[in-house]
Amino acid sequence: MAARGEEEDVMARYRSPLVSRYASAEMAYNFSERKKFGTWRRLWLYLAQAEKSLGLSITDEQIQEMEANLDNIDFKMAAEEEKKLRHDVMAHVHTFAHCCPKAAAIIHLGATSCYVGDNTDLIVLRDGFNLLLPKLARVISRLADFAEKYADMPALGFTHYQPAQLTTVGKRCCLWIQDLCMDLQNLERARDDLRFRGVKGTTGTQASFLQLFEGDHSKVEELDKLVTAKAGFKRAYMVTGQTYSRKVDIGVLAVLASLGASIHKICTDIRLLANLKEIEEPFEKDQIGSSAMPYKRNPMRSERCCSLARHLMTLVMDPLQTAAVQWFERTLDDSANRRVCLAEAFLTADIILSTLQNVSEGLVVYPKVIERRIRQELPFMATENIIMAMVKAGGNRQDCHEKIRVLSQQAAAVVKQEGGDNDFIARVRADPYFSPIHKQLESLLDPSSFTGRATQQVAKFLKEEVRPALIPYQSEMGGKIELAL
């Protein structure tokens, strides 16, 4: 009964669907309270260890006590302390000190709240990128396999969503892959560009640490380097206010927003192809497409990606505005906003990558539909080839052009006004004027002769650009992904 009561209590409160419905356990944990406050304690430990190594009066026993209680967090006590103190960092200082009585006097020594707050954010952002990058690489890998398989399958191209020259199924997929490869590079660069805030003090001047080390500037600089290295960063920002520059958040969310734009475009293409019945996303045996229309096979995974990608793309506006209104060394109007937008950006990116991986692993191609659509449009596209063949056979270019103009308009009228098939080639075969090239018509209408270098472009692109970019992630390619919902 108690368990049922707890479940009903949970169901009576709003829960973000990003966590409760969609996101991976790993990304949800990355932005969890346990990860956050556990990291705070590790940062206090790093600070104490570094301060001790540089000569401050901190004992091994104090360090050992802190190490033994890194994950021994009394969340109930911390919540009660925060309610009383109205300060989350000091609430956790007191909670940590409660289980580390010997180390209580040196926890948070010389630091400001942003020492744990901002540095933890940077760790979480870095770890978030490390979770996203293999997922993005897996999507690229799956689509690369698809592109290779269908590299030479002709398909009708579209510009303005109107029939255009032929491409291939694989070449079109490479357009998607190229965008995602750009995103892979952008995410890697954004992660690698992240620096640690480090040990900078209340307004970034390191005054408190200079006092602790009795004016020894070299020790303050060494303290900054030691803590930065312990946190796994190669560099710290040389200057900060109370916080690291909020422009950093702009760079982080900008690359995620760009990823959202790429996935929105890819999934929109898949939705359009599903309407054309050329390519569909996977559809489970017992899946229901519509409660009213049993025959429907809605592209719900691609629709979900588009829906969430729109949310991801808008989130970059938050850090843009936050950075613009940070007064002098900092204001606190950044805090509540950042709690929402940073987590939601990574959670949303995580969800759409997992969903797109599932889609890319089960794309279904319908060659006969693709062939039929080519047959409907190719005759008109072949007119230039027919003219050239007639000229080679001794015909007059202008006379041939006029003949084709008349026949093509007649055929178009059959398609548009009567709903019939494109009979342009039948009209050419029936016209004695074109008898010199009647035997060439089959070769002139071979779809593969209209795809240019598409097949070769796919092979070269995958070999020289895509596969090499995936090498760092080979050990994390894993198996197929199944979606919970």
Side-chain angles (χ1 to χ4, degrees):
M1 290 294 291
R4 182 176 179 183
E6 290 178 9
E7 180 181 340
E8 289 177 352
D9 186 47
V10 168
M11 298 305 289
R13 298 194 301 267
Y14 172 78
R15 295 182 298 160
S16 169
L18 294 177
V19 174
S20 65
R21 188 174 177 90
Y22 298 128
S24 68
E26 296 81 7
M27 190 62 79
Y29 173 75
N30 191 51
F31 287 92
S32 69
E33 299 288 89
R34 182 165 291 281
K35 167 78 177 274
K36 174 181 177 180
F37 298 129
T39 304
W40 283 12
R41 291 193 174 189
R42 283 163 176 79
L43 287 167
W44 283 319
L45 173 64
Y46 300 155
L47 180 62
Q49 289 172 329
E51 288 173 336
K52 178 181 182 298
S53 72
L54 292 169
L56 293 190
S57 182
I58 296 172
T59 67
D60 289 337
E61 192 175 21
Q62 289 173 314
I63 296 294
Q64 291 164 6
E65 188 179 51
M66 293 174 73
E67 289 175 332
N69 287 281
L70 291 175
D71 297 310
N72 179 27
I73 304 175
D74 186 339
F75 288 100
K76 183 178 180 182
M77 178 182 177
E80 290 170 352
E81 287 288 326
E82 184 173 354
K83 187 175 182 180
K84 179 173 62 177
L85 302 172
R86 296 292 177 181
H87 197 289
D88 56 350
V89 173
M90 286 309 299
H92 277 270
V93 168
H94 288 186
T95 303
F96 196 18
H98 180 75
C99 59
C100 297
K102 295 173 183 176
I106 55 94
I107 293 173
H108 199 66
L109 182 60
T112 187
S113 298
C114 285
Y115 166 69
V116 289
D118 270 31
N119 282 325
T120 292
D121 286 345
L122 289 161
I123 289 170
V124 168
L125 295 178
R126 177 197 64 194
D127 294 352
F129 279 126
N130 285 335
L131 290 172
L132 292 180
L133 282 163
K135 292 192 173 193
L136 176 53
R138 284 195 291 269
V139 171
I140 293 171
S141 175
R142 304 309 190 261
L143 289 175
D145 291 342
F146 179 86
E148 190 170 48
K149 181 177 180 180
Y150 295 100
D152 59 357
M153 179 180 284
L156 185 64
F158 291 94
T159 60
H160 315 275
Y161 200 36
Q162 301 299 314
Q165 279 192 351
L166 300 193
T167 182
T168 70
V169 172
K171 170 62 191 300
R172 174 178 284 144
C173 183
C174 284
L175 300 179
W176 305 339
I177 295 170
Q178 181 165 252
D179 287 352
L180 294 176
C181 283
M182 293 180 190
D183 293 314
L184 188 74
Q185 293 177 338
N186 290 340
L187 265 64
E188 289 173 337
R189 185 180 65 252
R191 178 199 59 189
D192 296 343
D193 282 350
L194 285 175
R195 300 190 195 183
F196 204 49
R197 177 191 176 272
V199 182
K200 298 297 194 297
T202 306
T203 57
T205 64
Q206 299 177 303
S208 58
F209 298 104
L210 192 62
Q211 184 176 1
L212 280 174
F213 290 104
E214 300 178 344
D216 190 332
H217 290 267
S218 63
K219 284 191 174 182
V220 175
E221 289 189 10
E222 185 62 20
L223 178 70
D224 206 356
K225 291 178 182 177
L226 286 172
V227 175
T228 296
K230 286 177 181 291
F233 285 81
K234 295 179 180 179
R235 297 181 299 169
Y237 295 107
M238 293 185 69
V239 293
T240 71
Q242 188 171 91
T243 68
Y244 67 78
S245 171
R246 294 310 184 218
K247 282 186 71 68
V248 173
D249 296 342
I250 297 173
V252 169
L253 264 65
V255 298
L256 297 181
S258 182
L259 171 65
S262 299
I263 293 179
H264 198 295
K265 183 266 192 291
I266 293 166
C267 290
T268 299
D269 282 358
I270 292 172
R271 291 165 65 189
L272 292 169
L273 290 167
N275 173 260
L276 297 174
K277 298 180 174 59
E278 292 191 6
I279 294 178
E280 288 181 343
E281 65 178 39
F283 196 88
E284 309 299 335
K285 178 183 177 183
D286 297 321
Q287 183 175 330
I288 294 175
S290 168
S291 62
M293 295 167 281
Y295 61 88
K296 292 194 77 178
R297 291 170 64 96
N298 298 332
M300 52 82 66
R301 292 170 174 83
S302 298
E303 290 172 318
R304 177 186 299 172
C305 284
C306 289
S307 181
L308 291 170
R310 286 200 298 274
H311 177 59
L312 178 55
M313 287 186 281
T314 65
L315 287 173
V316 72
M317 290 304 300
D318 278 340
L320 280 167
Q321 295 182 70
T322 294
V325 299
Q326 287 299 289
W327 303 344
F328 304 117
E329 280 65 51
R330 84 86 52 99
T331 67
L332 196 59
D333 64 338
D334 64 336
S335 179
N337 184 284
R338 294 176 71 252
R339 289 175 191 266
V340 176
C341 71
L342 295 180
E344 287 202 354
F346 278 87
L347 288 164
T348 306
D350 178 72
I351 295 158
I352 59 178
L353 282 173
S354 295
T355 307
L356 184 56
Q357 181 184 336
N358 176 263
V359 170
S360 62
E361 288 172 346
L363 286 172
V364 181
V365 177
Y366 295 104
K368 295 299 181 183
V369 178
I370 294 173
E371 290 171 10
R372 185 173 71 237
R373 184 156 285 109
I374 289 174
R375 287 198 302 271
Q376 287 290 316
E377 302 294 340
L378 189 59
F380 293 149
M381 296 178 192
T383 54
E384 186 65 20
N385 289 6
I386 293 174
I387 291 174
M388 293 300 99
M390 280 295 295
V391 170
K392 288 180 180 179
N396 178 282
R397 195 264 179 198
Q398 307 311 324
D399 292 342
C400 184
H401 184 280
E402 178 60 18
K403 284 276 189 180
I404 287 177
R405 185 188 69 81
V406 172
L407 295 181
S408 62
Q409 288 188 5
Q410 291 171 351
V414 170
V415 173
K416 295 178 180 179
Q417 297 174 20
E418 301 175 18
D421 291 334
N422 188 332
D423 62 358
F424 172 73
I425 296 301
R427 294 175 183 273
V428 171
R429 290 187 189 281
D431 192 324
Y433 174 82
F434 293 99
S435 58
I437 63 163
H438 280 170
K439 292 181 180 180
Q440 300 179 45
L441 287 176
E442 287 298 325
S443 61
L444 292 174
L445 291 168
D446 179 5
S448 63
S449 68
F450 289 83
T451 59
R453 299 191 64 253
T455 302
Q456 291 75 19
Q457 287 177 344
V458 171
K460 186 177 180 66
F461 175 59
L462 295 181
K463 179 182 178 182
E464 296 185 12
E465 293 196 24
V466 180
R467 304 295 187 192
L470 300 179
I471 290 174
Y473 307 98
Q474 288 301 321
S475 64
E476 301 175 272
M477 286 303 171
K480 288 190 174 183
I481 191 168
E482 299 294 335
L483 297 183
L485 288 172

